[in-house]
Amino acid sequence: MTGSALVVIDMINRYEHADAELLLPSARRAVPRIQLLLERARRGGTPVIYVNDNFGQWRSHHGEILETALDGPHADLVKPLIPDKDALFVLKARHSIFFETPLAYLLGQLDVDHLVLCGQATEQCVLYSALDAHIRHIDVTVVRDAVAHLHRDLAEAALRMMEVNMSARIRGTDAEDLPL
């Protein structure tokens, strides 16, 4: 395999969960950066995969989750990131983008061996997803200004752990070596 994919984690969101107030300021800063990554990936023909919580609604599909988020109180954070017609969508129930999802199979079908991760939350879903990619021998780049966090200190520690323990590349959206 020799390709990359941009993975947008949990950004289709109503922000009505218990710790949303902690996440919102950081999400507001990350959204414009994620939007830039989406534009860059789409221009370059890089697959874009949205991996999103299903919020416990096992009968939901990606269109319904998007519609629900757009009807929510923070639609302004969702609108710039709406999946286009070529975007792929995987539902997840837990923190990792791989746990009990078809993502590994999809990556194999796409010949993808490098993930560029953005989304939320750095110290939770992004961290666990990077670990699960690492144990699957999938290279990871985390775009530090395109991930949102609940706690800055934990996010910084998580980025450091991903870099040191998982050989993840930590870059900014302006990095020229992003594989998009």
Side-chain angles (χ1 to χ4, degrees), residues 62-117:
H62 73 279
E64 183 179 353
I65 290 171
L66 177 61
E67 190 175 295
T68 300
L70 289 170
D71 286 340
H74 300 286
D76 61 309
L77 296 176
V78 178
K79 285 179 185 172
L81 308 179
I82 291 175
D84 68 4
K85 67 177 180 53
D86 295 321
L88 303 167
F89 206 99
V90 174
L91 292 176
K92 68 181 185 69
R94 300 294 294 170
H95 296 82
S96 173
I97 59 178
F98 289 97
F99 182 74
E100 301 293 331
T101 75
L103 183 63
Y105 179 80
L106 175 61
L107 298 176
Q109 292 296 300
L110 297 172
D111 287 328
V112 166
D113 62 358
H114 191 129
L115 301 180
V116 178
L117 301 180

Side-chain angles (χ1 to χ4, degrees), residues 9-104:
I9 302 171
D10 289 336
M11 293 305 295
I12 309 301
N13 199 306
R14 288 180 60 90
Y15 296 95
E16 291 183 320
H17 43 85
D19 49 9
E21 290 304 315
L22 293 172
L23 183 59
L24 279 165
S26 182
R28 289 195 185 288
R29 287 188 297 275
V31 165
R33 309 312 290 177
I34 297 169
Q35 190 175 18
L36 289 172
L37 292 173
L38 286 167
E39 292 167 4
R40 190 168 165 186
R42 290 169 179 155
R43 270 194 321 271
T46 301
V48 175
I49 306 169
Y50 290 77
V51 183
N52 218 90
D53 278 333
N54 69 358
F55 306 112
Q57 302 299 315
W58 287 105
R59 63 190 169 278
S60 294
H61 56 81
H62 73 279
E64 183 179 353
I65 290 171
L66 177 61
E67 190 175 295
T68 300
L70 289 170
D71 286 340
H74 300 286
D76 61 309
L77 296 176
V78 178
K79 285 179 185 172
L81 308 179
I82 291 175
D84 68 4
K85 67 177 180 53
D86 295 321
L88 303 167
F89 206 99
V90 174
L91 292 176
K92 68 181 185 69
R94 300 294 294 170
H95 296 82
S96 173
I97 59 178
F98 289 97
F99 182 74
E100 301 293 331
T101 75
L103 183 63

